[in-house]
Amino acid sequence: MNARSGLVQEIWRIAVLVLAAWAVGSLFDQTLLVLLLALLGYIARNLLNLQRLADWLGSQEAAGIPFHVGLWGDIYSRIARVSAHQAQRERRLTTLLNEYSASTSALPDATVALDTRGRIRWFNDAAIRLLGLQAAKDVGQPLSNLFRNPEAAEFIRRADYSQTLQTTSPGNSERKLEVRMAPYGEGQTLLLAQDVSERLRHETVRRDFVANVSHELRTPLTVLSGFIENLQADQSLQDQRLRRPIELMAQQSARMRQIVEDLLLLAKLEGESKQGKEQDIVVGGVLRLVADECRALGPKVAEIECDIRSTRRVLGDEKQLRSAVTNLVVNAIHHTPADGLITLVWEDRGENSLLEVSDDGEGIAAEHIPRLTERFYRVDNGRSRQRGGTGLGLAIVKHILKRHDATLEIKSQLGEGSRFICHFPASRLLG
Ligand code: ADP
């Protein structure tokens, strides 16, 4: 039944009531009184129905409709339909919420939802295990109360969603976590923390293994090289057939020593904590010094120019920074003809500064660029080995930059030259 037919029924009912009251009233010559009584009866019936409706809505099981006919029956059945629909939606939502809650509980990573003011609203089971959170105590607390070390506090304050932080678990100092933040909803944030203790342990084992092997090889290699040098210097060695093999032995042992030294340097760069001895480095001075040293490498070296446009200094390790720049310039020399140009630039880009080593040499094909900083990756293995390259130079540059919170960007095109750009963040700059 629709609302209009219920209304029509009701109007008919009132019309019949009025007509009947009028007829009866006319019989007894009391038309007005009978009409009044009939209308009072009608109002009383409606009041009764209103009371019934209120009782029915108040009762828990609003299922059985107390009245089926007329406008009132119509109202009851509509309300019953709406409430059945809502109950169904509620059941569906509850199921969904239960499933969601079960799935986030099963997640191995800690998930903490924060409100717009950085206070903890909700967290999953892994957050209890990994971060030591307690439901009763920590909901509503600012997240900064949880991570107390200054590096983590700064990370949370900055809320840079592109960065991750490796830190110690607030609940267990043995546990290492990788933390990231992600925005959601309107101004809310999710904190995600992954247990990386096992991964870091494996990395340490690998690093220590490489460092130990390199270290063990150092002494026998030094002894061998010493003997080879003696043989080379021995004028009494008459047999000319031995000259060439001895020369090759000298070359190869020098290469092996260079690889061992580079591997040891890489292990050291990876292993040392960032908070080492920090110096105030005049970058322009470092670039000029490296340029002078490299110009002296020989007549076949391309022209080297310095373009120092910034007076900012970098906070870091001067020896390491010099070694990184030297690596880049020596690489440029190897891949640029003698009549080419190598440019060293130091300039500001807003809050940040960049150090660039560019050349107009042979360039690098696009498919190699993403892999250049991998250990032992070379575009042309044979050529690199021939000139004594270890394939570790750019890996060392990347690690030195990482220790200075800087990043390496490589832009190149085959035949068009290459640009190696080191981006230094404002936090590492002075002046
Ligand atoms: P390598 O000891 O071979 O120089 P690196 O790690 O320093 O090792 O460099 C990796 C590879 O990147 C090099 O083998 C070379 O092919 C390429 N490369 C580096 N710098 C340049 C450059 N300026 N121009 C062209 N290719 C380069």
Side-chain angles (χ1 to χ4, degrees), residues 29 49 69 71 104 110 171 201 216 313 346 352 396 406 420:
D29 211 15
N49 270 331
V69 288
L71 195 55
T104 52
R201 248 194 303 279
E216 291 298 323
R313 288 148 5 246
W346 175 237
N352 305 337
I396 292 174
F420 290 78

Side-chain angles (χ1 to χ4, degrees), residues 160-232:
D160 180 348
Y161 303 126
S162 65
Q163 299 283 319
T164 58
L165 171 80
Q166 271 184 15
T167 186
T168 310
S169 159
N172 176 357
S173 59
E174 296 290 300
R175 191 169 253 151
K176 300 284 178 267
L177 300 177
E178 190 165 272
V179 182
R180 65 175 68 233
M181 318 264 288
Y184 83 99
E186 284 169 22
Q188 291 116 304
T189 317
L190 272 186
L191 174 120
L192 304 155
Q194 188 183 19
D195 187 350
V196 289
S197 320
E198 198 58 20
R199 197 183 83 198
L200 292 185
R201 248 194 303 279
H202 286 151
E203 274 176 25
T204 310
V205 169
R206 177 193 57 80
R207 198 170 56 234
D208 288 352
F209 175 74
V210 174
N212 289 340
V213 170
S214 311
H215 199 74
E216 291 298 323
L217 285 175
R218 208 184 210 173
T219 316
L221 267 175
T222 312
V223 175
L224 275 177
S225 304
F227 282 125
I228 294 168
E229 272 170 32
N230 286 347
L231 279 174
Q232 274 185 309

Side-chain angles (χ1 to χ4, degrees), residues 12-177:
W12 272 111
R13 188 167 291 157
I14 294 168
V16 169
L17 185 74
V18 169
L19 272 175
W22 181 76
V24 173
S26 306
L27 270 180
F28 298 100
D29 211 15
Q30 289 290 343
T31 319
L32 252 174
L33 184 67
V34 177
L35 256 176
L36 198 69
L37 283 174
L39 285 176
L40 275 175
Y42 181 77
I43 290 170
R45 173 183 168 268
N46 280 342
L47 277 176
L48 193 72
N49 270 331
L50 271 177
Q51 181 59 47
R52 257 195 221 158
L53 178 66
D55 292 346
W56 183 67
L57 286 176
S59 70
Q60 285 300 311
E61 65 286 345
I65 299 173
F67 216 76
H68 289 277
V69 288
L71 195 55
W72 282 106
D74 197 27
I75 289 169
Y76 278 122
S77 57
R78 275 168 168 260
I79 293 175
R81 254 201 321 273
V82 169
S83 75
H85 186 68
Q86 243 171 9
Q88 199 186 7
R89 259 180 61 140
E90 246 168 58
R91 271 197 302 277
R92 222 178 312 144
L93 275 175
T94 313
T95 318
L96 217 91
L97 213 67
N98 287 341
E99 278 173 16
Y100 171 75
S101 161
S103 62
T104 52
S105 293
L107 280 178
D109 299 343
T111 310
V112 184
L114 306 171
D115 64 17
T116 47
R117 288 157 66 206
R119 288 172 192 273
I120 300 172
R121 286 186 63 176
W122 170 92
F123 48 82
N124 66 352
D125 290 355
I128 301 174
R129 201 164 26 86
L130 298 181
L131 303 173
L133 285 175
Q134 290 171 23
K137 196 167 86 36
D138 292 314
V139 169
Q141 294 295 318
L143 182 69
S144 43
N145 280 5
L146 184 65
F147 290 99
R148 291 188 180 273
N149 77 59
E151 206 187 355
E154 174 61 15
F155 177 79
I156 292 164
R157 194 194 59 72
R158 254 192 296 143
D160 180 348
Y161 303 126
S162 65
Q163 299 283 319
T164 58
L165 171 80
Q166 271 184 15
T167 186
T168 310
S169 159
N172 176 357
S173 59
E174 296 290 300
R175 191 169 253 151
K176 300 284 178 267
L177 300 177

Side-chain angles (χ1 to χ4, degrees), residues 328 331-332 335 359 362-364 372 377-380 384 387 389-395 418 420:
L328 293 176
N331 273 349
H335 299 278
D359 63 66
E362 64 197 46
I364 308 160
L372 288 182
Y377 189 86
R378 293 121 152 165
V379 174
D380 183 338
S384 163
R387 58 166 176 75
T390 60
L392 292 168
L394 290 179
S418 310
F420 290 78

Side-chain angles (χ1 to χ4, degrees), residues 203 206-207 262-263 265-272 274 317 320-321 323-324 327 373-375 392-408 428:
E203 274 176 25
R206 177 193 57 80
R207 198 170 56 234
D262 282 358
L263 282 174
L265 175 61
L266 263 176
K268 189 170 154 237
L269 287 171
E270 279 184 316
E272 266 178 11
K274 252 190 206 170
D317 185 319
Q320 286 182 7
L321 195 69
S323 152
N327 261 316
T373 55
E374 286 174 23
R375 281 151 210 242
L392 292 168
L394 290 179
I396 292 174
V397 171
K398 189 176 116 181
H399 271 92
I400 292 178
L401 292 181
K402 194 171 163 206
R403 292 176 57 81
H404 289 81
D405 304 319
T407 52
L408 178 67
R428 281 282 174 172

